[in-house]
Amino acid sequence: MRADAWSEWAGRAPEAPPEMPSVPACPPEPDDLHEQIVTWAARLLGTRDALLWLVADDGRRLVVRYGIGRFSASVGRCLRKGDGLAGEAWLTGTPLATTEHRSLPDRLPERGGRQGVGAALCVPLVAAGSVVGVLGVAWREPGRVVGQAENELLCGVGELAGVAIDRVGHPGASGRAPVERTRGRGWLPGAEERYRALSEQIPAVLYSEVHTPEGALVYRSPQSQWLLGYTSEESIPLDFWKSVIHPDDREWVVAENERVDATGDPWNVEYRIIAKDGRVVWIRDHAVLVRGERGEPDYWQGYFIDITEQKQAEEALRQALERERQALERERQAARELRALDEMKNTFLDAVSHELRTPLATVIGIALTLQRAGSSLTEEDTVDLVDRLVANAGKLDRLLADLLDLDRLSKGILEPQRSRTDLAALVGRVAQEWRQRTGRRLEVVAEPVVAWVDSAKVERVVENLLANAGRHTTADTPVWVKVARRDDGVLLAVEDAGGGVPRELRAALFEPFRRGPGAAAHAPGVGIGLSLVARFAELHGGRAWVQDRPGGGASFQVLLPDSADQPMSAAAR
């Protein structure tokens, strides 16, 4: 429609004003005038729906004299003073637009129901100091807001229409007789001057453009330079319009321009323009294709208004709503975390109470037996009881150590005590103790590796991984522990041929108080073993993860970075 003509309307002096309506040698009939007024108002305001009320003979009713679009079947309908939007405009003598708290169906008569109107605007038509009618337009877009520029534009149209109706004559108007028509004289003297004054006063750029591939402009109002800052010389190049469209909007705006130029659909677009001083200006650009007597495309009639403040208000509202949404989401997240923390606390208390009670009850029972039986026990029974006592006391000690370490790690007060450590020997010793304690088969695959690590923490890592494997596999499931050097450090792995770990649970297993799938409520373990494995790995600057084992099962792996040039600690010298 306008891709090559922006430079013309942006700065060139007008050649002729757009038709408003044409000025014949003889005044038009009232019905023709009503049609011209309504059609012209709709075109300027970028809508298909408009209508004209005139005050009836009795001076107590508004009667619809002409309507287009959804109001084409409303001719003859009446309103009393103060009824609906038009009645209020008649009563107050001021323009009125729809607002959120007022019900739209009671304002404008519609064909085929009262749904689908997004906004409406009515202005009174004044002649000889009294209201002779009301001009109304409506838009169908949901959430449409009537801006100040549109208000002033329709008021200007209403001013001219009121004068035209007064000079041509209209039915009613409190019994005033029609003004005598003089053949051979224009029905509206000074129409061009009045239109030019109007177009230069309202905060909108009005334009008319011939429907040609080049988009030859026949009129523009002078507000374009005030709005964008470009002079006529600066806007001469044919691609000027495309060059000032905001880069983020340019592609789709040009595509829409080509589409409406080909189809003749109304041009109704909101986009951004870069002003000469660098400002980003939001505009609402409306135009409709006016056709000739035989229906052929003739010219585009349109206007352009600055809606930057409206867009800024919308963005501020959107940001406020987004902040509110984020605040609500934070509250929901906090509630979820509190519920999760409460559940974790209950799980922890249940598990810890079970883990503490079992060895503690055993320790107490063995101690009482030794106290009461005394020397009556055989040496073999005494040795067995003492071994069991030591084993259960060790369980209690490991549980308390895990809890204390987890607390210190959470507070960031635990530091690694590194020394040169033979990891193959360390893993072999832990594996042997696990075999003796569980009676299960365990294969060790360890390269001779010496690394700069905290040996006590690495020992706990291997113990916890083996305990996890024993807890979640059957007694006949093969288990492996492996040690190997890699370019980025040392890799420890404990693998089993069990059922494996589902992908969706792999990250959660290393969180505190999380237990593997299928664990019974009172199964051994409190759900902190794997969490400590991950934390001890991070303490060394490494990481822990679980993946599928080739051939089936799970492979829990820990990478410990190791630097060959680390100095030995004083204890290792």
Side-chain angles (χ1 to χ4, degrees):
M1 179 187 68
R2 308 164 50 247
D4 298 320
W6 179 283
S7 61
E8 297 184 57
W9 70 257
R12 198 177 72 184
E15 297 177 3
E19 298 181 10
M20 182 278 150
S22 58
V23 184
C26 297
E29 293 298 320
D31 289 345
D32 294 336
L33 175 62
H34 302 161
E35 177 182 357
Q36 290 173 337
I37 291 172
V38 171
T39 303
W40 190 58
R43 289 173 180 171
L44 282 180
L45 273 295
T47 181
R48 292 172 289 173
D49 307 315
L51 71 169
L52 173 68
W53 288 270
L54 292 181
V55 177
D57 293 340
D58 56 14
R60 293 183 296 178
R61 295 173 298 136
L62 277 179
V63 181
V64 177
R65 295 300 182 184
Y66 194 82
I68 61 173
R70 65 179 58 237
F71 305 120
S72 59
S74 299
V75 175
R77 297 189 61 174
C78 300
L79 284 175
R80 294 189 178 276
K81 186 173 290 188
D83 290 345
L85 197 66
E88 290 185 43
W90 179 24
L91 175 66
T92 62
T94 58
L96 294 175
T98 55
T99 55
E100 293 182 5
H101 66 278
R102 301 169 64 192
S103 174
L104 181 61
D106 294 333
R107 300 176 207 153
L108 295 173
E110 292 186 49
R111 180 182 62 186
R114 295 175 175 175
Q115 301 302 317
V117 175
L121 173 64
C122 288
V123 299
L125 309 182
V126 179
S130 62
V131 176
V132 297
V134 174
L135 180 60
V137 295
W139 295 269
R140 305 187 188 191
E141 303 96 312
R144 183 69 150 77
V145 176
V146 179
Q148 181 64 25
E150 293 158 323
N151 193 339
E152 294 185 18
L153 184 60
L154 191 60
C155 285
V157 175
E159 178 186 351
L160 293 176
V163 174
I165 290 172
D166 183 57
R167 297 188 68 86
V168 172
H170 67 283
S174 301
R176 287 196 296 121
V179 177
E180 181 182 356
R181 305 176 186 176
T182 305
R183 184 172 300 274
R185 297 178 57 192
W187 62 270
L188 182 55
E192 180 177 336
E193 291 75 12
R194 295 177 65 84
Y195 182 86
R196 190 180 305 279
L198 166 65
S199 68
E200 294 177 358
Q201 292 172 4
I202 61 174
V205 176
L206 308 182
Y207 62 88
S208 295
E209 176 186 320
V210 177
H211 184 268
T212 64
E214 295 76 21
L217 200 73
V218 296
Y219 176 76
R220 70 95 179 92
S221 56
Q223 287 89 332
S224 56
Q225 183 172 343
W226 169 82
L227 182 61
L228 300 177
Y230 297 104
T231 65
S232 58
E233 291 77 13
E234 291 171 320
S235 57
I236 287 175
L238 292 178
D239 61 348
F240 175 75
W241 177 61
K242 293 180 182 178
S243 70
V244 297
I245 299 176
H246 193 284
D248 293 344
D249 296 344
R250 186 174 299 137
E251 182 177 355
W252 70 265
V253 171
V254 171
E256 177 66 5
N257 178 80
E258 294 173 352
R259 186 191 69 80
V260 301
D261 219 21
T263 63
D265 291 340
W267 168 261
N268 188 357
V269 183
E270 294 179 358
Y271 57 99
R272 289 168 290 181
I273 292 291
I274 304 299
K276 184 177 180 179
D277 59 4
R279 289 178 298 113
V280 176
V281 180
W282 272 98
I283 64 171
R284 179 180 295 144
D285 196 352
H286 294 278
V288 292
L289 181 60
V290 181
R291 298 183 178 274
E293 295 181 357
R294 293 185 297 275
E296 75 283 3
D298 191 358
Y299 65 93
W300 290 95
Q301 179 68 57
Y303 74 96
F304 164 105
I305 60 175
D306 182 355
I307 58 169
T308 305
E309 291 186 1
Q310 176 184 332
K311 286 295 184 179
Q312 291 173 343
E314 291 175 357
E315 178 62 18
L317 177 60
R318 188 196 65 78
Q319 292 179 0
L321 292 175
E322 178 62 18
R323 287 193 296 271
E324 183 178 353
R325 187 196 64 78
Q326 291 177 355
L328 290 174
E329 181 57 31
R330 286 194 295 270
E331 291 179 5
R332 296 191 190 99
Q333 181 62 27
R336 288 193 293 267
E337 291 175 355
L338 287 174
R339 286 194 295 270
L341 186 62
D342 187 61
E343 293 173 0
M344 183 184 297
K345 178 201 68 175
N346 294 333
T347 301
F348 168 73
L349 291 176
D350 290 343
V352 169
S353 62
H354 175 73
E355 287 294 297
L356 286 173
R357 279 200 194 98
T358 301
L360 187 60
T362 303
V363 167
I364 293 173
I366 292 173
L368 289 174
T369 299
L370 291 173
Q371 182 186 50
R372 293 170 182 173
S375 58
S376 63
L377 294 173
T378 64
E379 182 178 355
E380 182 180 354
D381 289 340
T382 301
V383 170
D384 179 61
L385 288 173
V386 170
D387 288 343
R388 290 166 59 193
L389 182 65
V390 171
N392 282 277
K395 289 182 181 179
L396 288 173
D397 181 65
R398 283 193 297 274
L399 176 60
L400 292 175
D402 284 350
L403 293 173
L404 290 172
D405 281 345
L406 186 62
D407 180 63
R408 287 194 287 264
L409 284 165
S410 299
K411 295 177 180 177
I413 60 176
L414 190 64
E415 295 291 336
Q417 304 299 316
R418 297 176 184 266
S419 63
R420 293 181 62 81
T421 303
D422 185 341
L423 293 182
L426 182 150
V427 169
R429 183 174 67 254
V430 175
Q432 182 60 30
E433 292 174 357
W434 189 77
R435 290 191 195 98
Q436 293 175 351
R437 187 167 58 251
T438 63
R440 293 185 57 171
R441 181 166 60 90
L442 172 63
E443 183 179 348
V444 177
V445 182
E447 298 177 4
V449 175
V450 176
W452 185 259
V453 296
D454 186 326
S455 59
K457 301 300 185 292
V458 174
E459 184 173 342
R460 296 271 295 285
V461 165
V462 179
E463 288 175 348
N464 288 347
L465 289 177
L466 287 173
N468 180 72
R471 187 176 300 119
H472 296 288
T473 59
T474 59
D476 58 348
T477 301
V479 179
W480 299 265
V481 58
K482 300 179 179 181
V483 181
R485 177 169 288 284
R486 291 189 0 179
D487 292 341
D488 50 354
V490 178
L491 184 67
L492 301 176
V494 173
E495 300 179 344
D496 63 71
V501 179
R503 290 184 178 274
E504 63 271 14
L505 295 178
R506 291 179 183 178
L509 284 181
F510 293 96
E511 297 176 6
F513 313 117
R514 291 296 187 98
R515 309 174 73 192
H522 297 291
V526 296
I528 61 174
L530 292 180
S531 177
L532 282 173
V533 168
R535 299 291 183 88
F536 286 154
E538 293 169 1
L539 193 66
H540 285 78
R543 62 189 182 96
W545 71 96
V546 59
Q547 62 188 37
D548 291 332
R549 172 187 167 272
S555 176
F556 286 83
Q557 304 197 7
V558 176
L559 178 64
L560 302 176
D562 178 50
S563 176
D565 59 354
Q566 291 282 1
M568 291 191 301
S569 65
R573 290 177 183 153

